[in-house]
Amino acid sequence: MANKAQQPPHLHLAEVTASQFLDIWKHFDTDGNGYIEGKELENFFRELEMARRGAGVDPTNPTFRENMKEFMQKFDKNKDGRIEMSELAQILPTEENFLLCFRQFVSSSTEFMAAWRRYDTDRSGYIEANELKGFLSDLLQKANRHYDDQKLLEYTQTILRMFDLNGDGKLGLSEMARLLPVQENFLLKFQGVKLTSEQFNEIFTFYDKDGNGYIDEHELEALLRDLYQKHKKPVIRPCLSIKEVDLKNLTGYKESIMRLSDGGKLYRTELEIVLCRDPIL
């Protein structure tokens, strides 16, 4: 049993701020892998029930297990048996939280990619601290949220604390996409498709049929279809696959990725943001 100094913070509040949300997340995601799962999930549900009921909860009681099952059926949107950041935002009272503003601003993956394209001004594959501040400022304005410089700084620092694990003051695309609702985060489908620079260059060359240095919409569609049906193209068989995706979704993925393009031309630097572990230097 955790002692008083280790009690989970803020679960009793009527609403949580951005920094309080992060405190809760880090308290329960004890291994820092980006999910609340296993024993972490049981601890979270127990403490949440205690905070809401104002009384103790017995995890060995069959009623506890049944309530936890119903809880997961409601909030575990992608049915993977664990809670991720965007799902936690649906559980906690976040009416004044920056997460709600984010969703009002970029409620779909297509809008998210368009926003990323606007704010990754140097095309580095990252949003750096100064770019992030502008991103959040526009986000709050579009969501009709009043804020001052102190609140904007709090939001900026909170997101950096969430995702800037190496402390370099910049965030990657897949990291920021974790703020999207699970059903809209198409980048989750590419988690098993992270390539080395050599693999990426081989793939890009293969699909850049005319050798003009970029992939157009039709070439991207061919690439995505072959990710889905990987056996059709031997060049990509060893390294690429997309799971749990049907062909009708590929059109949406194509449209989202093309939002990163420059006038319909998807250059290496844009596609590598989606398919590579790190941008190729």
Side-chain angles (χ1 to χ4, degrees), residues 35 82 186-194:
Y35 299 95
R82 54 191 183 178
F186 79 99
L187 290 173
L188 291 174
K189 303 301 182 182
F190 290 85
Q191 286 181 333
V193 191
K194 296 303 182 183

PDB file of all heavy atoms in Angstrom, residues 35 82 186-194:
ATOM      1  N   TYR A  35       1.956   3.958 -21.617  1.00  0.00           N
ATOM      2  CA  TYR A  35       0.673   3.306 -21.367  1.00  0.00           C
ATOM      3  C   TYR A  35       0.502   3.064 -19.874  1.00  0.00           C
ATOM      4  O   TYR A  35       1.472   2.869 -19.145  1.00  0.00           O
ATOM      5  CB  TYR A  35       0.589   1.954 -22.094  1.00  0.00           C
ATOM      6  CG  TYR A  35       0.691   2.049 -23.588  1.00  0.00           C
ATOM      7  CD1 TYR A  35       1.919   1.873 -24.222  1.00  0.00           C
ATOM      8  CD2 TYR A  35      -0.428   2.320 -24.365  1.00  0.00           C
ATOM      9  CE1 TYR A  35       2.029   1.963 -25.607  1.00  0.00           C
ATOM     10  CE2 TYR A  35      -0.331   2.412 -25.744  1.00  0.00           C
ATOM     11  CZ  TYR A  35       0.897   2.231 -26.360  1.00  0.00           C
ATOM     12  OH  TYR A  35       0.997   2.330 -27.721  1.00  0.00           O
ATOM     13  N   ARG A  82      -5.278  -1.507 -22.330  1.00  0.00           N
ATOM     14  CA  ARG A  82      -4.475  -0.547 -21.595  1.00  0.00           C
ATOM     15  C   ARG A  82      -4.956   0.867 -21.912  1.00  0.00           C
ATOM     16  O   ARG A  82      -5.689   1.084 -22.873  1.00  0.00           O
ATOM     17  CB  ARG A  82      -2.991  -0.715 -21.931  1.00  0.00           C
ATOM     18  CG  ARG A  82      -2.679  -0.664 -23.415  1.00  0.00           C
ATOM     19  CD  ARG A  82      -1.249  -1.094 -23.690  1.00  0.00           C
ATOM     20  NE  ARG A  82      -0.909  -0.983 -25.101  1.00  0.00           N
ATOM     21  CZ  ARG A  82       0.280  -1.253 -25.607  1.00  0.00           C
ATOM     22  NH1 ARG A  82       1.268  -1.635 -24.803  1.00  0.00           N
ATOM     23  NH2 ARG A  82       0.514  -1.141 -26.898  1.00  0.00           N
ATOM     24  N   PHE A 186      -3.726   7.679 -36.831  1.00  0.00           N
ATOM     25  CA  PHE A 186      -3.339   6.668 -37.811  1.00  0.00           C
ATOM     26  C   PHE A 186      -1.865   6.301 -37.679  1.00  0.00           C
ATOM     27  O   PHE A 186      -1.446   5.234 -38.124  1.00  0.00           O
ATOM     28  CB  PHE A 186      -3.635   7.149 -39.233  1.00  0.00           C
ATOM     29  CG  PHE A 186      -2.620   8.103 -39.785  1.00  0.00           C
ATOM     30  CD1 PHE A 186      -1.623   7.667 -40.630  1.00  0.00           C
ATOM     31  CD2 PHE A 186      -2.658   9.448 -39.451  1.00  0.00           C
ATOM     32  CE1 PHE A 186      -0.681   8.545 -41.136  1.00  0.00           C
ATOM     33  CE2 PHE A 186      -1.729  10.332 -39.946  1.00  0.00           C
ATOM     34  CZ  PHE A 186      -0.733   9.877 -40.790  1.00  0.00           C
ATOM     35  N   LEU A 187      -1.052   7.162 -37.062  1.00  0.00           N
ATOM     36  CA  LEU A 187       0.365   6.857 -36.908  1.00  0.00           C
ATOM     37  C   LEU A 187       0.580   5.629 -36.034  1.00  0.00           C
ATOM     38  O   LEU A 187       1.616   4.974 -36.127  1.00  0.00           O
ATOM     39  CB  LEU A 187       1.110   8.053 -36.315  1.00  0.00           C
ATOM     40  CG  LEU A 187       1.250   9.261 -37.243  1.00  0.00           C
ATOM     41  CD1 LEU A 187       1.848  10.441 -36.496  1.00  0.00           C
ATOM     42  CD2 LEU A 187       2.099   8.932 -38.452  1.00  0.00           C
ATOM     43  N   LEU A 188      -0.409   5.303 -35.178  1.00  0.00           N
ATOM     44  CA  LEU A 188      -0.290   4.089 -34.372  1.00  0.00           C
ATOM     45  C   LEU A 188      -0.199   2.859 -35.267  1.00  0.00           C
ATOM     46  O   LEU A 188       0.416   1.860 -34.891  1.00  0.00           O
ATOM     47  CB  LEU A 188      -1.499   3.953 -33.433  1.00  0.00           C
ATOM     48  CG  LEU A 188      -1.604   4.967 -32.289  1.00  0.00           C
ATOM     49  CD1 LEU A 188      -2.929   4.788 -31.556  1.00  0.00           C
ATOM     50  CD2 LEU A 188      -0.432   4.819 -31.330  1.00  0.00           C
ATOM     51  N   LYS A 189      -0.800   2.925 -36.440  1.00  0.00           N
ATOM     52  CA  LYS A 189      -0.776   1.787 -37.359  1.00  0.00           C
ATOM     53  C   LYS A 189       0.612   1.581 -37.966  1.00  0.00           C
ATOM     54  O   LYS A 189       0.891   0.527 -38.528  1.00  0.00           O
ATOM     55  CB  LYS A 189      -1.795   1.996 -38.486  1.00  0.00           C
ATOM     56  CG  LYS A 189      -3.209   2.212 -37.999  1.00  0.00           C
ATOM     57  CD  LYS A 189      -3.727   1.057 -37.174  1.00  0.00           C
ATOM     58  CE  LYS A 189      -5.163   1.290 -36.750  1.00  0.00           C
ATOM     59  NZ  LYS A 189      -5.685   0.206 -35.903  1.00  0.00           N
ATOM     60  N   PHE A 190       1.476   2.598 -37.863  1.00  0.00           N
ATOM     61  CA  PHE A 190       2.807   2.505 -38.439  1.00  0.00           C
ATOM     62  C   PHE A 190       3.865   2.152 -37.402  1.00  0.00           C
ATOM     63  O   PHE A 190       5.045   2.222 -37.676  1.00  0.00           O
ATOM     64  CB  PHE A 190       3.187   3.831 -39.112  1.00  0.00           C
ATOM     65  CG  PHE A 190       2.411   4.109 -40.366  1.00  0.00           C
ATOM     66  CD1 PHE A 190       1.167   4.711 -40.306  1.00  0.00           C
ATOM     67  CD2 PHE A 190       2.918   3.753 -41.608  1.00  0.00           C
ATOM     68  CE1 PHE A 190       0.436   4.970 -41.458  1.00  0.00           C
ATOM     69  CE2 PHE A 190       2.198   4.008 -42.766  1.00  0.00           C
ATOM     70  CZ  PHE A 190       0.960   4.616 -42.682  1.00  0.00           C
ATOM     71  N   GLN A 191       3.423   1.759 -36.185  1.00  0.00           N
ATOM     72  CA  GLN A 191       4.392   1.473 -35.142  1.00  0.00           C
ATOM     73  C   GLN A 191       5.307   0.312 -35.509  1.00  0.00           C
ATOM     74  O   GLN A 191       6.457   0.257 -35.087  1.00  0.00           O
ATOM     75  CB  GLN A 191       3.679   1.180 -33.815  1.00  0.00           C
ATOM     76  CG  GLN A 191       3.120   2.436 -33.169  1.00  0.00           C
ATOM     77  CD  GLN A 191       2.435   2.154 -31.848  1.00  0.00           C
ATOM     78  OE1 GLN A 191       1.933   1.056 -31.609  1.00  0.00           O
ATOM     79  NE2 GLN A 191       2.397   3.151 -30.981  1.00  0.00           N
ATOM     80  N   GLY A 192       4.800  -0.627 -36.291  1.00  0.00           N
ATOM     81  CA  GLY A 192       5.630  -1.749 -36.714  1.00  0.00           C
ATOM     82  C   GLY A 192       6.335  -1.510 -38.032  1.00  0.00           C
ATOM     83  O   GLY A 192       6.879  -2.423 -38.630  1.00  0.00           O
ATOM     84  N   VAL A 193       6.341  -0.256 -38.503  1.00  0.00           N
ATOM     85  CA  VAL A 193       6.887   0.072 -39.812  1.00  0.00           C
ATOM     86  C   VAL A 193       7.968   1.140 -39.672  1.00  0.00           C
ATOM     87  O   VAL A 193       8.050   2.049 -40.474  1.00  0.00           O
ATOM     88  CB  VAL A 193       5.762   0.564 -40.748  1.00  0.00           C
ATOM     89  CG1 VAL A 193       6.252   0.658 -42.190  1.00  0.00           C
ATOM     90  CG2 VAL A 193       4.563  -0.352 -40.687  1.00  0.00           C
ATOM     91  N   LYS A 194       8.763   1.062 -38.631  1.00  0.00           N
ATOM     92  CA  LYS A 194       9.830   2.037 -38.445  1.00  0.00           C
ATOM     93  C   LYS A 194      11.104   1.521 -39.107  1.00  0.00           C
ATOM     94  O   LYS A 194      11.612   0.455 -38.778  1.00  0.00           O
ATOM     95  CB  LYS A 194      10.067   2.301 -36.959  1.00  0.00           C
ATOM     96  CG  LYS A 194       8.870   2.947 -36.275  1.00  0.00           C
ATOM     97  CD  LYS A 194       8.477   4.251 -36.950  1.00  0.00           C
ATOM     98  CE  LYS A 194       7.314   4.934 -36.249  1.00  0.00           C
ATOM     99  NZ  LYS A 194       6.869   6.149 -36.914  1.00  0.00           N
TER     100      LYS A 194
END
